Amino acid sequence: MAQPLYEGKAKQVFATDKSDEYIIHYKDDATAGNGAKHDQFAGKGVLNNTISCIIFEMLEAAGIKTHMIEKVNERDIRVKKVTILPLEVIVRNITAGSFCKRLGVEEGIVLDEPIFEMSYKNDDYGDPLINDDHAVALKLATRDEINFLREETLKINALLKEFFLKFNLKLVDFKIEFGKTDDGIIVLADEISPDTCRLWDVETNQKYDKDVFRQDIGDLIETYKAVLERMQTK
Ligand code: UDP
């Protein structure tokens, strides 16, 4: 097998015979706490690729520009070559996770308006939370690009909230990443899956996302399978 150009915690990126396309390969690894907790779950890569492709197709159909070209097989997706902006863009609709820990807020409070957050993608510094001025000062993105990211992200939030609600799931929060093509166009990249979203059952608030692994409260594969089944049966 060819050497990946890049290997992350859950995915590998490969060059293709086209200079402007990559193949992303989903692995079975799960990590939490910046790699402090690490395990492998047979079939996780297939589930995340399948779920993420369905979501990216839905977003494309709704007018969001993404890196997606086509799903190649159950673990691989062909994408436009992009340079990932070193920003983790997060939206919160309901309080959870680091927001609660950082601010001493209870989990599960429905926010009046979505919160847009950015973290600087830098493992050595624990992906610190930053604001627009920090991002501009560090030259991670221009002011105009950040304004675009905010607008596009809030549109994506509205689309994802409506999408998951059809499957009786509340979108609590999520993380997305954007990339820039060689032509300078910013598109949604990376993945959207139960690894990167918090999803709670509308009636019971049962968790259907990576928190089952982070908090050791359930079986990751069964949980991700249940998300995909909901997405396929409605
Ligand atoms: N998230 C992610 N990757 C990260 C950090 C966060 O996909 O490196 C997602 C996470 O799954 C959740 C949202 O972003 O849906 C908000 O995460 P939070 O800041 O609460 O961090 P956590 O509690 O996961 O450390």
Side-chain angles (χ1 to χ4, degrees), residues 90-108:
I90 288 171
V91 175
R92 302 181 186 277
N93 297 306
I94 299 176
T95 61
S98 69
F99 184 84
C100 297
K101 280 195 208 116
R102 207 172 47 236
L103 301 175
V105 177
E106 201 182 311
E107 184 179 85

PDB file of all heavy atoms in Angstrom, residues 90-108:
ATOM      1  N   ILE A  90     -16.253  25.258  15.944  1.00  0.00           N
ATOM      2  CA  ILE A  90     -17.225  24.541  16.781  1.00  0.00           C
ATOM      3  C   ILE A  90     -18.499  25.365  16.907  1.00  0.00           C
ATOM      4  O   ILE A  90     -18.442  26.590  17.029  1.00  0.00           O
ATOM      5  CB  ILE A  90     -16.605  24.248  18.171  1.00  0.00           C
ATOM      6  CG1 ILE A  90     -15.545  23.142  18.015  1.00  0.00           C
ATOM      7  CG2 ILE A  90     -17.655  23.849  19.207  1.00  0.00           C
ATOM      8  CD1 ILE A  90     -14.704  22.890  19.229  1.00  0.00           C
ATOM      9  N   VAL A  91     -19.633  24.673  16.838  1.00  0.00           N
ATOM     10  CA  VAL A  91     -20.911  25.327  17.134  1.00  0.00           C
ATOM     11  C   VAL A  91     -21.556  24.586  18.293  1.00  0.00           C
ATOM     12  O   VAL A  91     -21.524  23.359  18.341  1.00  0.00           O
ATOM     13  CB  VAL A  91     -21.875  25.313  15.925  1.00  0.00           C
ATOM     14  CG1 VAL A  91     -23.235  25.884  16.312  1.00  0.00           C
ATOM     15  CG2 VAL A  91     -21.303  26.106  14.773  1.00  0.00           C
ATOM     16  N   ARG A  92     -22.139  25.349  19.205  1.00  0.00           N
ATOM     17  CA  ARG A  92     -22.853  24.759  20.345  1.00  0.00           C
ATOM     18  C   ARG A  92     -24.300  25.227  20.337  1.00  0.00           C
ATOM     19  O   ARG A  92     -24.552  26.434  20.259  1.00  0.00           O
ATOM     20  CB  ARG A  92     -22.209  25.198  21.664  1.00  0.00           C
ATOM     21  CG  ARG A  92     -20.761  24.825  21.752  1.00  0.00           C
ATOM     22  CD  ARG A  92     -20.141  25.234  23.072  1.00  0.00           C
ATOM     23  NE  ARG A  92     -18.702  24.969  23.019  1.00  0.00           N
ATOM     24  CZ  ARG A  92     -18.143  23.796  23.246  1.00  0.00           C
ATOM     25  NH1 ARG A  92     -18.883  22.755  23.573  1.00  0.00           N
ATOM     26  NH2 ARG A  92     -16.832  23.652  23.165  1.00  0.00           N
ATOM     27  N   ASN A  93     -25.219  24.253  20.405  1.00  0.00           N
ATOM     28  CA  ASN A  93     -26.650  24.558  20.539  1.00  0.00           C
ATOM     29  C   ASN A  93     -27.133  24.276  21.955  1.00  0.00           C
ATOM     30  O   ASN A  93     -28.090  24.889  22.426  1.00  0.00           O
ATOM     31  CB  ASN A  93     -27.458  23.724  19.536  1.00  0.00           C
ATOM     32  CG  ASN A  93     -27.109  24.069  18.093  1.00  0.00           C
ATOM     33  OD1 ASN A  93     -27.172  25.238  17.710  1.00  0.00           O
ATOM     34  ND2 ASN A  93     -26.721  23.078  17.306  1.00  0.00           N
ATOM     35  N   ILE A  94     -26.490  23.303  22.590  1.00  0.00           N
ATOM     36  CA  ILE A  94     -26.824  22.890  23.960  1.00  0.00           C
ATOM     37  C   ILE A  94     -25.486  22.750  24.697  1.00  0.00           C
ATOM     38  O   ILE A  94     -24.498  22.290  24.108  1.00  0.00           O
ATOM     39  CB  ILE A  94     -27.574  21.532  23.937  1.00  0.00           C
ATOM     40  CG1 ILE A  94     -28.883  21.647  23.141  1.00  0.00           C
ATOM     41  CG2 ILE A  94     -27.851  21.022  25.355  1.00  0.00           C
ATOM     42  CD1 ILE A  94     -29.651  20.335  22.965  1.00  0.00           C
ATOM     43  N   THR A  95     -25.428  23.129  25.958  1.00  0.00           N
ATOM     44  CA  THR A  95     -24.141  23.090  26.669  1.00  0.00           C
ATOM     45  C   THR A  95     -23.686  21.653  26.919  1.00  0.00           C
ATOM     46  O   THR A  95     -24.488  20.780  27.266  1.00  0.00           O
ATOM     47  CB  THR A  95     -24.225  23.826  28.019  1.00  0.00           C
ATOM     48  OG1 THR A  95     -25.207  23.170  28.832  1.00  0.00           O
ATOM     49  CG2 THR A  95     -24.607  25.288  27.845  1.00  0.00           C
ATOM     50  N   ALA A  96     -22.388  21.427  26.741  1.00  0.00           N
ATOM     51  CA  ALA A  96     -21.771  20.110  26.988  1.00  0.00           C
ATOM     52  C   ALA A  96     -20.257  20.273  26.924  1.00  0.00           C
ATOM     53  O   ALA A  96     -19.743  21.348  26.580  1.00  0.00           O
ATOM     54  CB  ALA A  96     -22.229  19.089  25.939  1.00  0.00           C
ATOM     55  N   GLY A  97     -19.567  19.198  27.266  1.00  0.00           N
ATOM     56  CA  GLY A  97     -18.124  19.081  27.033  1.00  0.00           C
ATOM     57  C   GLY A  97     -17.289  20.191  27.627  1.00  0.00           C
ATOM     58  O   GLY A  97     -17.497  20.610  28.775  1.00  0.00           O
ATOM     59  N   SER A  98     -16.331  20.677  26.840  1.00  0.00           N
ATOM     60  CA  SER A  98     -15.345  21.635  27.353  1.00  0.00           C
ATOM     61  C   SER A  98     -15.998  22.961  27.750  1.00  0.00           C
ATOM     62  O   SER A  98     -15.485  23.669  28.617  1.00  0.00           O
ATOM     63  CB  SER A  98     -14.249  21.882  26.314  1.00  0.00           C
ATOM     64  OG  SER A  98     -14.759  22.580  25.203  1.00  0.00           O
ATOM     65  N   PHE A  99     -17.125  23.296  27.118  1.00  0.00           N
ATOM     66  CA  PHE A  99     -17.827  24.541  27.483  1.00  0.00           C
ATOM     67  C   PHE A  99     -18.232  24.494  28.955  1.00  0.00           C
ATOM     68  O   PHE A  99     -18.048  25.464  29.699  1.00  0.00           O
ATOM     69  CB  PHE A  99     -19.066  24.695  26.582  1.00  0.00           C
ATOM     70  CG  PHE A  99     -19.823  25.972  26.784  1.00  0.00           C
ATOM     71  CD1 PHE A  99     -19.438  27.129  26.139  1.00  0.00           C
ATOM     72  CD2 PHE A  99     -20.935  26.015  27.621  1.00  0.00           C
ATOM     73  CE1 PHE A  99     -20.142  28.320  26.316  1.00  0.00           C
ATOM     74  CE2 PHE A  99     -21.644  27.192  27.816  1.00  0.00           C
ATOM     75  CZ  PHE A  99     -21.240  28.346  27.161  1.00  0.00           C
ATOM     76  N   CYS A 100     -18.775  23.340  29.375  1.00  0.00           N
ATOM     77  CA  CYS A 100     -19.215  23.187  30.775  1.00  0.00           C
ATOM     78  C   CYS A 100     -18.018  23.181  31.716  1.00  0.00           C
ATOM     79  O   CYS A 100     -18.037  23.833  32.758  1.00  0.00           O
ATOM     80  CB  CYS A 100     -20.008  21.888  30.927  1.00  0.00           C
ATOM     81  SG  CYS A 100     -21.514  21.894  29.961  1.00  0.00           S
ATOM     82  N   LYS A 101     -16.973  22.456  31.325  1.00  0.00           N
ATOM     83  CA  LYS A 101     -15.780  22.360  32.183  1.00  0.00           C
ATOM     84  C   LYS A 101     -15.122  23.718  32.351  1.00  0.00           C
ATOM     85  O   LYS A 101     -14.728  24.095  33.447  1.00  0.00           O
ATOM     86  CB  LYS A 101     -14.754  21.407  31.546  1.00  0.00           C
ATOM     87  CG  LYS A 101     -15.077  19.949  31.792  1.00  0.00           C
ATOM     88  CD  LYS A 101     -13.868  19.068  31.474  1.00  0.00           C
ATOM     89  CE  LYS A 101     -14.355  17.685  31.040  1.00  0.00           C
ATOM     90  NZ  LYS A 101     -14.011  17.351  29.667  1.00  0.00           N
ATOM     91  N   ARG A 102     -15.019  24.472  31.238  1.00  0.00           N
ATOM     92  CA  ARG A 102     -14.303  25.738  31.271  1.00  0.00           C
ATOM     93  C   ARG A 102     -15.062  26.811  32.040  1.00  0.00           C
ATOM     94  O   ARG A 102     -14.481  27.626  32.739  1.00  0.00           O
ATOM     95  CB  ARG A 102     -14.079  26.202  29.822  1.00  0.00           C
ATOM     96  CG  ARG A 102     -12.897  27.077  29.616  1.00  0.00           C
ATOM     97  CD  ARG A 102     -12.621  27.348  28.145  1.00  0.00           C
ATOM     98  NE  ARG A 102     -13.801  27.725  27.415  1.00  0.00           N
ATOM     99  CZ  ARG A 102     -14.255  27.101  26.334  1.00  0.00           C
ATOM    100  NH1 ARG A 102     -13.616  26.050  25.865  1.00  0.00           N
ATOM    101  NH2 ARG A 102     -15.338  27.501  25.734  1.00  0.00           N
ATOM    102  N   LEU A 103     -16.389  26.786  31.903  1.00  0.00           N
ATOM    103  CA  LEU A 103     -17.180  27.900  32.440  1.00  0.00           C
ATOM    104  C   LEU A 103     -18.012  27.525  33.660  1.00  0.00           C
ATOM    105  O   LEU A 103     -18.752  28.361  34.185  1.00  0.00           O
ATOM    106  CB  LEU A 103     -18.083  28.467  31.328  1.00  0.00           C
ATOM    107  CG  LEU A 103     -17.324  28.971  30.093  1.00  0.00           C
ATOM    108  CD1 LEU A 103     -18.276  29.387  28.994  1.00  0.00           C
ATOM    109  CD2 LEU A 103     -16.408  30.140  30.453  1.00  0.00           C
ATOM    110  N   GLY A 104     -17.901  26.275  34.102  1.00  0.00           N
ATOM    111  CA  GLY A 104     -18.650  25.858  35.288  1.00  0.00           C
ATOM    112  C   GLY A 104     -20.151  25.864  35.056  1.00  0.00           C
ATOM    113  O   GLY A 104     -20.932  26.243  35.931  1.00  0.00           O
ATOM    114  N   VAL A 105     -20.539  25.475  33.854  1.00  0.00           N
ATOM    115  CA  VAL A 105     -21.959  25.474  33.489  1.00  0.00           C
ATOM    116  C   VAL A 105     -22.448  24.028  33.438  1.00  0.00           C
ATOM    117  O   VAL A 105     -21.705  23.130  33.075  1.00  0.00           O
ATOM    118  CB  VAL A 105     -22.129  26.142  32.092  1.00  0.00           C
ATOM    119  CG1 VAL A 105     -23.565  26.092  31.630  1.00  0.00           C
ATOM    120  CG2 VAL A 105     -21.626  27.571  32.124  1.00  0.00           C
ATOM    121  N   GLU A 106     -23.692  23.841  33.818  1.00  0.00           N
ATOM    122  CA  GLU A 106     -24.314  22.516  33.791  1.00  0.00           C
ATOM    123  C   GLU A 106     -24.479  22.033  32.339  1.00  0.00           C
ATOM    124  O   GLU A 106     -24.710  22.857  31.449  1.00  0.00           O
ATOM    125  CB  GLU A 106     -25.703  22.730  34.388  1.00  0.00           C
ATOM    126  CG  GLU A 106     -26.405  21.547  34.950  1.00  0.00           C
ATOM    127  CD  GLU A 106     -27.792  21.997  35.439  1.00  0.00           C
ATOM    128  OE1 GLU A 106     -27.843  23.015  36.175  1.00  0.00           O
ATOM    129  OE2 GLU A 106     -28.773  21.366  35.050  1.00  0.00           O
ATOM    130  N   GLU A 107     -24.403  20.707  32.150  1.00  0.00           N
ATOM    131  CA  GLU A 107     -24.633  20.138  30.813  1.00  0.00           C
ATOM    132  C   GLU A 107     -26.129  20.161  30.493  1.00  0.00           C
ATOM    133  O   GLU A 107     -26.955  19.996  31.392  1.00  0.00           O
ATOM    134  CB  GLU A 107     -24.136  18.678  30.807  1.00  0.00           C
ATOM    135  CG  GLU A 107     -24.221  18.006  29.463  1.00  0.00           C
ATOM    136  CD  GLU A 107     -23.703  16.578  29.479  1.00  0.00           C
ATOM    137  OE1 GLU A 107     -24.481  15.659  29.818  1.00  0.00           O
ATOM    138  OE2 GLU A 107     -22.534  16.367  29.140  1.00  0.00           O
ATOM    139  N   GLY A 108     -26.463  20.414  29.225  1.00  0.00           N
ATOM    140  CA  GLY A 108     -27.854  20.237  28.781  1.00  0.00           C
ATOM    141  C   GLY A 108     -28.682  21.508  28.735  1.00  0.00           C
ATOM    142  O   GLY A 108     -29.879  21.433  28.506  1.00  0.00           O
TER     143      GLY A 108
END
